[in-house]
Amino acid sequence: MNKELLEKGFIPDEICKVLPEGFQDIEEIASSLHKILANNQITNAVNEITQEKDLSKLTNSELERAMLLYSYVGHAYMWGKEEVEDTIPENIAVTWYEISEKLDRPPILSYASYALNNWALLDESKPLSLDNIRILQNFLSGVDEDWFIMIHVAIEYEAKNVLGSLKKYYLDEDFENKNLEDALTSIKKINEIMNRMPEKCDPYIYYNRVRPYIFGWKNNPATPKGVIYKGVEKYKDEPQLFRGETGAQSSIVPALDALLGITHSNDPLREYLDEMRIYMPSEHRGLLAGLDKFLEEGPKNKVVEHETFVNEIIGEVHKFRNKHLEYAKDYIFDQALKKQSNSNIVGTGGTPFMKYLDKHLKETVPKDD
Ligand code: HEM
């Protein structure tokens, strides 16, 4: 396990903003995706993309950019037409698949593309904050869509402080009480950022204009058998089932749970969260596997000494999950009721989320409870 990642955070060191020569077609389509979608032109646009792409010289950050562009265009193709088809054409499917093989995660829009690799600083001389982020790629564009992603990015940036401090406390030799104080200060900042979601992301717009594009093909009534990636030899024209983009693919909360000893008894959301790991960058996946072992080893002696502090931090994770559950209700559940389509309310990843998010909230409790 690369425990240094906890101090470094999950946002990559380098984010590529434009791909080199040879990728102009996909860059151009992605940059006008909002207009293409507004004008129902996605099929024509995708037909113009050439299949042959040389991925061999791309750096890791360029591969991430390529994954981001193909994922956005692929999802726009799937969800931006009047009639949903179950086949992605060869000219994007093959390259999308090849990139995904290199990055070792499935060819679908995942959190790493949607949030972690999808931003730049407005002012390079200042640190990342909600006032200093611009989102690189979106579907329909607009403040609600950007703000939804910006909140995730700002939380990821702050999370390196809470996780880094907890790492020093639990995993390093020379730990001190101050590590816990720092962790508490940082998780409080995360909650302040989380609370700002409604400032610029309206539940109606989120439900009707942002969310429809990030669904996956697994457990989705629109694609009951999955989706065929035309021309991908390994898939042999058989439909593939992949989950959609969700914050559940962020490594922050699983890492916090593991370090703080928060466990969830078996339920569909827990199984789903484990499944989410295949959609994460492999380095993050490796870290979480290492932290699983740490959790299995049982309660840490250090905890006894500073139990009150640790419990205060757990209390903040509880607040985070509580606000998150409130958002799941306001942004999805209530919106679905308004549309009278409540028969099958599932998250973008495909879980009956209200019941299980509530269960995970109730399991986020201090150790002496
Ligand atoms: C309007 C805002 C949000 C809504 C409506 C929302 C919705 C959901 C839903 C429905 C799930 C259930 C699983 C699924 O179907 O994917 C989920 C899971 C999750 N989301 Fe969000 N989410 C929001 C914001 C965020 C933010 C800002 C984060 C921060 C990284 C986040 C992190 C998570 C995590 C970690 C899980 C797994 C649940 C757990 O571990 O208890 N979400 N979200």
Side-chain angles (χ1 to χ4, degrees), residues 86-139:
D86 65 357
T87 304
I88 298 171
E90 192 160 348
N91 49 338
I92 56 170
V94 173
T95 308
W96 195 6
Y97 165 79
E98 284 169 359
I99 302 163
S100 85
E101 282 288 285
K102 283 184 180 276
L103 289 176
D104 193 19
R105 56 177 200 262
I108 185 110
L109 178 66
S110 59
Y111 183 78
S113 302
Y114 194 65
L116 299 177
N117 282 279
N118 195 14
W119 61 276
L121 291 175
L122 279 172
D123 180 344
E124 301 268 348
S125 66
K126 295 195 180 126
L128 192 156
S129 74
L130 270 176
D131 307 320
N132 194 25
I133 307 173
R134 69 184 171 88
I135 294 303
L136 298 175
Q137 180 65 50
N138 40 33
F139 288 102

Coordinates of all heavy atoms in Angstrom, one line a residue, residues 86-139:
D86 N -28.5 0.3 -27.8 CA -27.6 -0.5 -26.9 C -26.3 -0.7 -27.5 O -25.6 -1.7 -27.1 CB -28.3 -1.8 -26.5 CG -28.5 -2.7 -27.7 OD1 -28.2 -2.3 -28.8 OD2 -29.0 -3.8 -27.5
T87 N -25.9 0.1 -28.5 CA -24.6 -0.2 -29.1 C -23.8 1.1 -29.3 O -24.3 2.1 -29.7 CB -24.8 -0.8 -30.5 OG1 -25.5 -2.0 -30.3 CG2 -23.5 -1.2 -31.2
I88 N -22.5 1.1 -28.8 CA -21.6 2.2 -29.0 C -20.8 1.9 -30.3 O -20.2 0.9 -30.4 CB -20.7 2.4 -27.8 CG1 -21.5 2.7 -26.6 CG2 -19.7 3.5 -28.1 CD1 -20.7 2.7 -25.3
P89 N -20.8 2.9 -31.3 CA -20.2 2.6 -32.5 C -18.6 2.4 -32.4 O -18.0 3.0 -31.5 CB -20.5 3.9 -33.4 CG -21.2 4.8 -32.5 CD -21.4 4.2 -31.2
E90 N -18.2 1.6 -33.4 CA -16.8 1.2 -33.4 C -15.8 2.3 -33.3 O -14.8 2.3 -32.6 CB -16.5 0.4 -34.7 CG -15.3 -0.3 -34.8 CD -15.3 -1.4 -35.9 OE1 -16.4 -1.7 -36.4 OE2 -14.3 -1.9 -36.2
N91 N -16.1 3.4 -34.0 CA -15.1 4.5 -34.0 C -14.8 5.2 -32.7 O -13.8 5.8 -32.5 CB -15.4 5.6 -35.1 CG -16.8 6.0 -35.0 OD1 -17.7 5.4 -34.5 ND2 -17.0 7.2 -35.5
I92 N -15.7 5.0 -31.7 CA -15.3 5.5 -30.4 C -15.1 4.3 -29.4 O -14.2 4.4 -28.5 CB -16.3 6.5 -29.7 CG1 -17.7 6.1 -29.6 CG2 -16.1 7.9 -30.4 CD1 -18.6 7.0 -28.8
A93 N -15.8 3.2 -29.6 CA -15.8 2.1 -28.7 C -14.3 1.5 -28.6 O -13.9 1.2 -27.5 CB -16.8 1.0 -29.1
V94 N -13.7 1.3 -29.7 CA -12.4 0.6 -29.7 C -11.3 1.5 -29.0 O -10.6 1.0 -28.1 CB -11.9 0.3 -31.1 CG1 -10.5 -0.3 -31.2 CG2 -12.9 -0.7 -31.8
T95 N -11.3 2.8 -29.3 CA -10.2 3.6 -28.6 C -10.6 3.7 -27.1 O -9.7 3.7 -26.3 CB -10.2 5.0 -29.3 OG1 -10.0 4.8 -30.7 CG2 -9.0 5.8 -28.7
W96 N -11.8 3.9 -26.8 CA -12.3 4.0 -25.4 C -11.8 2.8 -24.6 O -11.3 2.9 -23.5 CB -13.8 4.2 -25.4 CG -14.4 4.7 -24.1 CD1 -13.7 5.1 -23.0 CD2 -15.8 4.8 -23.8 NE1 -14.6 5.5 -22.0 CE2 -15.9 5.3 -22.5 CE3 -17.0 4.6 -24.5 CZ2 -17.1 5.6 -21.8 CZ3 -18.2 4.8 -23.9 CH2 -18.2 5.3 -22.6
Y97 N -12.1 1.6 -25.2 CA -11.7 0.4 -24.6 C -10.1 0.3 -24.4 O -9.7 0.0 -23.3 CB -12.2 -0.8 -25.4 CG -11.5 -2.1 -25.0 CD1 -12.0 -2.8 -23.9 CD2 -10.5 -2.6 -25.8 CE1 -11.3 -4.0 -23.5 CE2 -9.8 -3.8 -25.4 CZ -10.3 -4.5 -24.3 OH -9.6 -5.6 -23.9
E98 N -9.4 0.7 -25.5 CA -7.9 0.6 -25.4 C -7.4 1.5 -24.3 O -6.5 1.2 -23.5 CB -7.3 1.0 -26.7 CG -7.5 -0.2 -27.7 CD -7.1 0.2 -29.2 OE1 -6.7 1.4 -29.4 OE2 -7.2 -0.7 -30.0
I99 N -8.0 2.7 -24.2 CA -7.5 3.6 -23.1 C -7.8 3.0 -21.8 O -7.0 3.0 -20.8 CB -8.2 5.0 -23.2 CG1 -8.0 5.7 -24.6 CG2 -7.8 5.9 -22.1 CD1 -9.0 6.8 -24.9
S100 N -9.0 2.4 -21.7 CA -9.4 1.9 -20.4 C -8.5 0.7 -19.9 O -8.2 0.5 -18.8 CB -10.9 1.4 -20.4 OG -11.0 0.1 -20.9
E101 N -8.1 -0.1 -20.9 CA -7.1 -1.1 -20.6 C -5.8 -0.6 -20.0 O -5.3 -1.1 -19.1 CB -6.8 -1.9 -21.9 CG -7.9 -2.9 -22.3 CD -8.0 -4.1 -21.4 OE1 -7.1 -5.0 -21.5 OE2 -8.9 -4.1 -20.6
K102 N -5.4 0.5 -20.7 CA -4.1 1.1 -20.2 C -4.3 1.7 -18.8 O -3.3 1.7 -18.0 CB -3.6 2.2 -21.1 CG -3.0 1.7 -22.4 CD -2.5 2.8 -23.3 CE -1.8 2.3 -24.5 NZ -0.4 1.9 -24.4
L103 N -5.4 2.2 -18.5 CA -5.7 2.8 -17.2 C -6.2 1.8 -16.2 O -6.4 2.2 -15.0 CB -6.6 4.0 -17.3 CG -6.0 5.3 -18.0 CD1 -7.1 6.3 -18.1 CD2 -4.8 5.8 -17.2
D104 N -6.5 0.6 -16.6 CA -6.9 -0.4 -15.7 C -8.2 -0.1 -15.0 O -8.3 -0.3 -13.8 CB -5.8 -0.8 -14.8 CG -6.0 -2.1 -14.0 OD1 -6.8 -2.9 -14.5 OD2 -5.4 -2.3 -12.9
R105 N -9.2 0.5 -15.7 CA -10.5 0.6 -15.2 C -11.5 0.6 -16.4 O -11.1 0.8 -17.5 CB -10.7 1.8 -14.3 CG -10.4 3.2 -14.9 CD -10.7 4.3 -13.9 NE -10.8 5.6 -14.6 CZ -9.8 6.5 -14.7 NH1 -8.6 6.2 -14.2 NH2 -10.0 7.6 -15.3
P106 N -12.8 0.2 -16.2 CA -13.7 0.0 -17.3 C -14.0 1.2 -18.2 O -13.9 2.3 -17.7 CB -15.0 -0.5 -16.6 CG -14.6 -0.8 -15.2 CD -13.4 0.0 -14.9
P107 N -14.3 0.9 -19.5 CA -14.6 2.0 -20.4 C -16.0 2.6 -20.1 O -17.0 2.3 -20.7 CB -14.6 1.4 -21.8 CG -14.8 0.0 -21.5 CD -14.4 -0.4 -20.1
I108 N -16.1 3.5 -19.1 CA -17.3 4.2 -18.7 C -16.9 5.4 -18.0 O -15.8 5.5 -17.5 CB -18.2 3.2 -17.8 CG1 -19.5 3.8 -17.5 CG2 -17.4 2.9 -16.5 CD1 -20.7 3.1 -18.1
L109 N -17.8 6.4 -17.9 CA -17.4 7.6 -17.2 C -17.3 7.3 -15.7 O -18.3 6.9 -15.1 CB -18.5 8.7 -17.4 CG -18.3 10.0 -16.6 CD1 -17.0 10.8 -17.1 CD2 -19.5 11.0 -16.8
S110 N -16.2 7.5 -15.1 CA -16.0 7.3 -13.7 C -15.6 8.6 -13.0 O -15.3 9.6 -13.6 CB -15.0 6.1 -13.4 OG -13.8 6.5 -13.9
Y111 N -15.7 8.5 -11.6 CA -15.4 9.7 -10.8 C -14.0 10.3 -11.1 O -13.8 11.5 -11.1 CB -15.5 9.3 -9.3 CG -15.3 10.3 -8.3 CD1 -16.3 11.2 -8.0 CD2 -14.1 10.5 -7.6 CE1 -16.2 12.2 -7.0 CE2 -13.9 11.4 -6.7 CZ -14.9 12.3 -6.4 OH -14.8 13.3 -5.4
A112 N -13.0 9.4 -11.4 CA -11.7 9.9 -11.7 C -11.7 10.9 -12.9 O -11.0 11.9 -12.9 CB -10.7 8.8 -12.0
S113 N -12.5 10.6 -13.9 CA -12.6 11.5 -15.1 C -13.6 12.7 -14.8 O -13.3 13.8 -15.1 CB -13.2 10.7 -16.3 OG -12.4 9.6 -16.6
Y114 N -14.7 12.4 -14.1 CA -15.7 13.4 -13.9 C -15.3 14.5 -13.0 O -15.6 15.6 -13.2 CB -16.9 12.7 -13.3 CG -18.2 13.5 -13.3 CD1 -18.8 13.9 -14.5 CD2 -18.8 13.9 -12.1 CE1 -20.0 14.6 -14.5 CE2 -20.0 14.6 -12.1 CZ -20.6 15.0 -13.3 OH -21.8 15.7 -13.3
A115 N -14.5 14.1 -11.9 CA -14.1 15.1 -10.9 C -12.6 15.2 -10.8 O -12.0 16.3 -11.1 CB -14.7 14.7 -9.6
L116 N -11.9 14.1 -10.5 CA -10.4 14.2 -10.2 C -9.6 14.9 -11.3 O -8.7 15.6 -11.0 CB -9.9 12.9 -9.8 CG -10.5 12.2 -8.6 CD1 -9.9 10.8 -8.4 CD2 -10.4 13.0 -7.3
N117 N -9.9 14.5 -12.5 CA -9.1 15.0 -13.7 C -9.8 16.1 -14.5 O -9.4 16.4 -15.6 CB -8.7 13.9 -14.6 CG -7.6 13.0 -14.0 OD1 -6.4 13.4 -14.2 ND2 -7.9 11.9 -13.4
N118 N -10.8 16.7 -13.9 CA -11.6 17.6 -14.7 C -11.7 19.0 -14.3 O -12.7 19.7 -14.3 CB -13.1 17.0 -14.7 CG -13.9 17.6 -15.8 OD1 -13.4 18.2 -16.7 ND2 -15.3 17.4 -15.7
W119 N -10.5 19.5 -13.9 CA -10.5 20.9 -13.4 C -9.2 21.6 -13.6 O -8.2 20.9 -13.9 CB -10.8 21.0 -11.9 CG -9.8 20.2 -11.1 CD1 -9.8 18.9 -10.8 CD2 -8.6 20.7 -10.5 NE1 -8.6 18.5 -10.1 CE2 -7.9 19.7 -9.9 CE3 -8.1 22.0 -10.4 CZ2 -6.7 19.8 -9.2 CZ3 -6.9 22.2 -9.7 CH2 -6.2 21.1 -9.2
A120 N -9.2 22.9 -13.6 CA -8.0 23.7 -13.6 C -8.1 24.9 -12.7 O -9.3 25.2 -12.3 CB -7.7 24.2 -15.1
L121 N -7.0 25.5 -12.3 CA -7.1 26.7 -11.4 C -7.4 27.9 -12.3 O -6.9 28.0 -13.4 CB -5.8 26.9 -10.7 CG -5.4 25.9 -9.6 CD1 -4.0 26.2 -9.1 CD2 -6.4 25.9 -8.5
L122 N -8.3 28.8 -11.8 CA -8.5 30.0 -12.5 C -7.3 30.9 -12.5 O -6.8 31.5 -13.4 CB -9.7 30.8 -11.9 CG -11.1 30.3 -12.2 CD1 -12.1 31.0 -11.4 CD2 -11.4 30.6 -13.7
D123 N -6.8 31.0 -11.2 CA -5.6 31.8 -11.0 C -4.5 30.9 -10.5 O -4.6 30.4 -9.3 CB -5.9 32.9 -10.0 CG -4.7 33.8 -9.7 OD1 -3.5 33.4 -10.0 OD2 -4.9 34.9 -9.1
E124 N -3.5 30.6 -11.4 CA -2.5 29.6 -11.0 C -1.6 30.0 -9.8 O -1.0 29.1 -9.2 CB -1.5 29.4 -12.2 CG -2.2 28.9 -13.5 CD -2.2 27.4 -13.7 OE1 -1.5 26.8 -12.9 OE2 -2.9 26.9 -14.5
S125 N -1.6 31.3 -9.5 CA -0.8 31.7 -8.4 C -1.5 31.5 -7.0 O -0.9 31.7 -6.0 CB -0.4 33.2 -8.5 OG -1.6 34.0 -8.4
K126 N -2.7 31.1 -7.0 CA -3.5 30.9 -5.8 C -3.8 29.4 -5.6 O -3.9 28.7 -6.6 CB -4.7 31.7 -5.8 CG -4.5 33.2 -5.8 CD -5.7 34.0 -5.5 CE -5.5 35.5 -5.5 NZ -6.4 36.2 -6.4
P127 N -4.0 29.0 -4.3 CA -4.4 27.6 -4.1 C -5.8 27.2 -4.6 O -6.6 28.1 -4.8 CB -4.2 27.4 -2.6 CG -4.4 28.8 -2.0 CD -3.9 29.7 -3.1
L128 N -6.0 25.9 -4.6 CA -7.4 25.5 -5.0 C -8.4 25.8 -3.9 O -8.2 25.6 -2.8 CB -7.3 24.0 -5.2 CG -8.6 23.3 -5.9 CD1 -8.2 22.0 -6.6 CD2 -9.7 23.1 -5.0
S129 N -9.5 26.5 -4.3 CA -10.6 26.7 -3.4 C -11.8 26.8 -4.3 O -11.7 26.9 -5.6 CB -10.4 28.0 -2.7 OG -10.7 29.1 -3.6
L130 N -13.0 26.8 -3.7 CA -14.2 26.9 -4.6 C -14.3 28.1 -5.5 O -14.9 28.1 -6.5 CB -15.5 26.9 -3.7 CG -16.0 25.5 -3.3 CD1 -17.2 25.7 -2.4 CD2 -16.5 24.7 -4.6
D131 N -13.5 29.2 -5.1 CA -13.5 30.4 -5.9 C -12.5 30.4 -7.0 O -12.3 31.3 -7.8 CB -13.2 31.7 -5.0 CG -14.1 31.8 -3.8 OD1 -15.3 31.5 -4.0 OD2 -13.6 32.1 -2.7
N132 N -11.7 29.3 -7.0 CA -10.5 29.3 -7.9 C -10.5 28.0 -8.7 O -9.4 27.5 -8.9 CB -9.2 29.5 -7.1 CG -8.0 29.8 -8.0 OD1 -8.2 30.3 -9.1 ND2 -6.8 29.5 -7.5
I133 N -11.6 27.5 -9.1 CA -11.7 26.2 -9.9 C -12.5 26.5 -11.2 O -13.5 27.2 -11.1 CB -12.4 25.1 -9.2 CG1 -11.9 24.8 -7.8 CG2 -12.4 23.8 -10.1 CD1 -12.7 23.8 -7.0
R134 N -12.0 26.0 -12.3 CA -12.9 26.0 -13.4 C -12.9 24.5 -13.9 O -11.9 23.8 -13.9 CB -12.5 26.9 -14.6 CG -11.2 26.6 -15.3 CD -10.8 27.6 -16.3 NE -9.5 27.4 -16.8 CZ -9.2 26.6 -17.8 NH1 -10.2 26.0 -18.5 NH2 -8.0 26.3 -18.2
I135 N -14.1 24.1 -14.3 CA -14.3 22.7 -14.8 C -14.0 22.7 -16.2 O -14.4 23.5 -17.0 CB -15.8 22.3 -14.5 CG1 -16.0 22.3 -12.9 CG2 -16.2 21.0 -15.1 CD1 -15.1 21.4 -12.2
L136 N -13.2 21.6 -16.6 CA -12.7 21.6 -18.0 C -13.8 21.1 -19.0 O -13.9 21.5 -20.1 CB -11.5 20.6 -18.1 CG -10.3 21.0 -17.3 CD1 -9.2 19.9 -17.4 CD2 -9.7 22.4 -17.8
Q137 N -14.6 20.1 -18.6 CA -15.6 19.4 -19.5 C -16.9 19.2 -18.8 O -17.0 18.9 -17.6 CB -15.0 18.1 -19.9 CG -15.8 17.3 -20.9 CD -16.0 18.0 -22.2 OE1 -15.0 18.3 -22.8 NE2 -17.2 18.1 -22.7
N138 N -18.0 19.5 -19.6 CA -19.3 19.1 -19.1 C -20.2 18.7 -20.2 O -19.8 18.6 -21.3 CB -19.9 20.3 -18.2 CG -19.7 21.6 -18.9 OD1 -19.6 21.7 -20.1 ND2 -19.5 22.7 -18.1
F139 N -21.4 18.3 -19.9 CA -22.4 17.8 -20.9 C -23.1 19.1 -21.4 O -22.8 19.6 -22.5 CB -23.3 16.8 -20.3 CG -22.6 15.5 -20.1 CD1 -22.2 15.1 -18.8 CD2 -22.3 14.6 -21.2 CE1 -21.6 13.9 -18.6 CE2 -21.7 13.4 -21.0 CZ -21.3 13.0 -19.7

